[in-house]
Amino acid sequence: MADPPERTFSETDQAIMEATYRALREHGYADLTIKRIANEYGKSTAAVHYYYDTKDELLAAFLDYLLEQFVDSIHGVETTDPEERLELLLDELLVKPQENPDLSIALLEMRSQAPYKEAFSERFQQNDEYIRYMLKAVVNHGIDEGVFNDVDANHITRSLMTIVDGGRTRAVVLDNLEELETARRTASEYVDAMLR
Amino acid sequence: MADPPERTFSETDQAIMEATYRALREHGYADLTIKRIANEYGKSTAAVHYYYDTKDELLAAFLDYLLEQFVDSIHGVETTDPEERLELLLDELLVKPQENPDLSIALLEMRSQAPYKEAFSERFQQNDEYIRYMLKAVVNHGIDEGVFNDVDANHITRSLMTIVDGGRTRAVVLDNLEELETARRTASEYVDAMLR
DNA sequence: CCTACCGATCGGTAGG
DNA sequence: CCTACCGATCGGTAGG
């Protein structure tokens, strides 16, 4: 499986994406309006509509922009030793979100709209597949090297993603970053129990 | 810890709550309007406002109505044998949601609004505490009876909730009920690994 | 409880 | 890219 398709953003596109990012962190997804994006952009709403015909189109582009950055950060984990690499990937998924709680809130809002917006659904689906692919590869690598038990890598991977998404959801809903630490510990316990 | 406080609903209140429930399942939370609730109620929007001054007030009441039903269903698990009871509680949390996917979608939407609506936050928080209390009691019961290892019941409980919320979130976002089954299996694996 | 309505806000567009 | 504006929709209310 190759990396997800890349998308090119002109400097203007980038400026609008960053404006969207700021508006989203400040007001949340439910209160994200073209006007607020335009304010952050520093121009009129018509200027935003000049580059993106509809709000939906802009938001789809924004998800591409955001998830690309996320994929890059996952990609940045270069350690190859399976045991260490798995822990570092889990850190990336559960420790790093602590740096930006406002974004986590907005992202859960957007995820909750996936059932109504196919453009969202497609992108979250693809992103999830990519992360699962990365995790599965490490697990299989560990099995091949004999450091992990010969388990159902597909299931283990899905279980870890369940723990990751559970920690993220709970951190937002219960407004408590410790939920991410709990989930991180749970993930390690699960890895220990199933892979050794 | 006692059961969460009960709230009394008149027949009119009940009718409005059921109308809200239907409107929510049909249109989702983001598109839930007083007009749509009134349509389901079969009367005018002014009629709805006659009983609930504001939309926020109505939604807070609705969450009470909904979470009370949920607590009742958890309360309905009467088995006392710790091992069996834990499995039945997990079934209640992860198998039963499969019956009503539309409600699960709307509930995730509402959960994602907790950071912006204190009335929501309070209620989800209280509901979570109650479920954790029920789970913790079973784990401690099992420890006392010697069928479970002497573990940190608090942590085990939070881990299980993480798996539960992960399964629920993923089922909605990825539009796949199998995510709940995966989470159910993960929960059993975790219980097996940590408690035996 | 209804009819009728208000002010506010939204996404989007015409015309330049 | 801006100013100015449109039609649609929202939550809520006045008056009965």
Side-chain angles (χ1 to χ4, degrees), chain A residues 43-44 47 50:
Chain A
K43 309 207 170 165
S44 70
Y50 180 79

Side-chain angles (χ1 to χ4, degrees), chain A residues 83-128:
Chain A
E83 302 192 80
E84 194 183 344
R85 182 176 170 81
L86 183 53
E87 295 298 321
L88 288 176
L89 285 175
L90 290 171
D91 282 346
E92 203 66 39
L93 295 169
L94 280 170
V95 178
K96 243 193 53 181
Q98 307 200 21
E99 290 170 19
N100 203 338
D102 291 339
L103 181 62
S104 295
I105 293 171
L107 259 177
L108 183 64
E109 286 186 88
M110 295 184 81
R111 295 184 104 206
S112 79
Q113 294 308 303
Y116 308 104
K117 301 210 175 247
E118 210 186 324
F120 285 16
S121 176
E122 280 172 10
R123 284 161 175 85
F124 284 122
Q125 192 95 33
Q126 190 210 43
N127 186 255
D128 194 76

Side-chain angles (χ1 to χ4, degrees), chain A residues 9 20 28 88 142 195:
Chain A
F9 291 98
T20 304
L88 288 176
L195 294 179

Side-chain angles (χ1 to χ4, degrees), chain A residues 70-88:
Chain A
F70 179 68
V71 163
D72 285 349
S73 76
I74 293 282
H75 212 90
V77 178
E78 292 178 336
T79 315
T80 55
D81 172 69
E83 302 192 80
E84 194 183 344
R85 182 176 170 81
L86 183 53
E87 295 298 321
L88 288 176

Side-chain angles (χ1 to χ4, degrees), chain B residues 70-195:
Chain B
F70 179 68
V71 165
D72 284 349
S73 76
I74 294 282
H75 212 91
V77 177
E78 292 177 337
T79 314
T80 54
D81 173 71
E83 303 194 77
E84 194 183 344
R85 182 175 170 81
L86 182 54
E87 296 297 321
L88 287 176
L89 285 175
L90 291 170
D91 282 347
E92 203 67 37
L93 295 169
L94 280 169
V95 177
K96 244 193 57 182
Q98 307 199 20
E99 289 169 18
N100 203 338
D102 290 338
L103 181 62
S104 296
I105 293 171
L107 260 177
L108 183 63
E109 287 186 88
M110 295 184 80
R111 296 184 105 208
S112 79
Q113 294 308 302
Y116 309 104
K117 300 207 174 250
E118 210 188 324
F120 285 16
S121 176
E122 281 173 9
R123 283 160 177 86
F124 284 123
Q125 192 96 32
Q126 190 208 45
N127 187 254
D128 194 75
E129 267 175 39
Y130 180 69
I131 304 171
R132 277 191 283 111
Y133 165 76
M134 294 292 276
L135 286 174
K136 207 173 96 179
V138 195
V139 172
N140 278 326
H141 186 195
I143 295 173
D144 290 344
E145 287 207 345
V147 295
F148 290 158
N149 292 335
D150 186 12
V151 293
D152 177 351
N154 247 319
H155 171 67
I156 299 291
T157 298
R158 285 180 187 274
S159 292
L160 290 176
M161 288 307 288
T162 301
I163 295 168
V164 165
D165 282 331
R168 287 172 173 176
T169 296
R170 291 177 64 76
V172 170
V173 176
L174 304 177
D175 186 28
N176 189 352
L177 289 178
E178 284 180 33
E179 295 291 344
L180 290 172
E181 293 166 24
T182 296
R184 184 64 189 82
R185 180 175 159 193
T186 306
S188 273
E189 288 165 345
Y190 186 79
V191 164
D192 259 13
M194 305 297 284
L195 294 178

Side-chain angles (χ1 to χ4, degrees), chain B residues 41 43-44 47 50:
Chain B
Y41 182 36
K43 310 206 168 164
S44 71
Y50 179 78

Side-chain angles (χ1 to χ4, degrees), chain A residues 116, chain B residues 22-32 36 40 109:
Chain A
Y116 308 104
Chain B
R22 288 192 298 273
L24 198 57
R25 277 190 309 183
E26 201 165 335
H27 306 285
Y29 174 76
D31 289 327
L32 182 69
R36 283 182 166 143
E40 292 289 341
E109 287 186 88

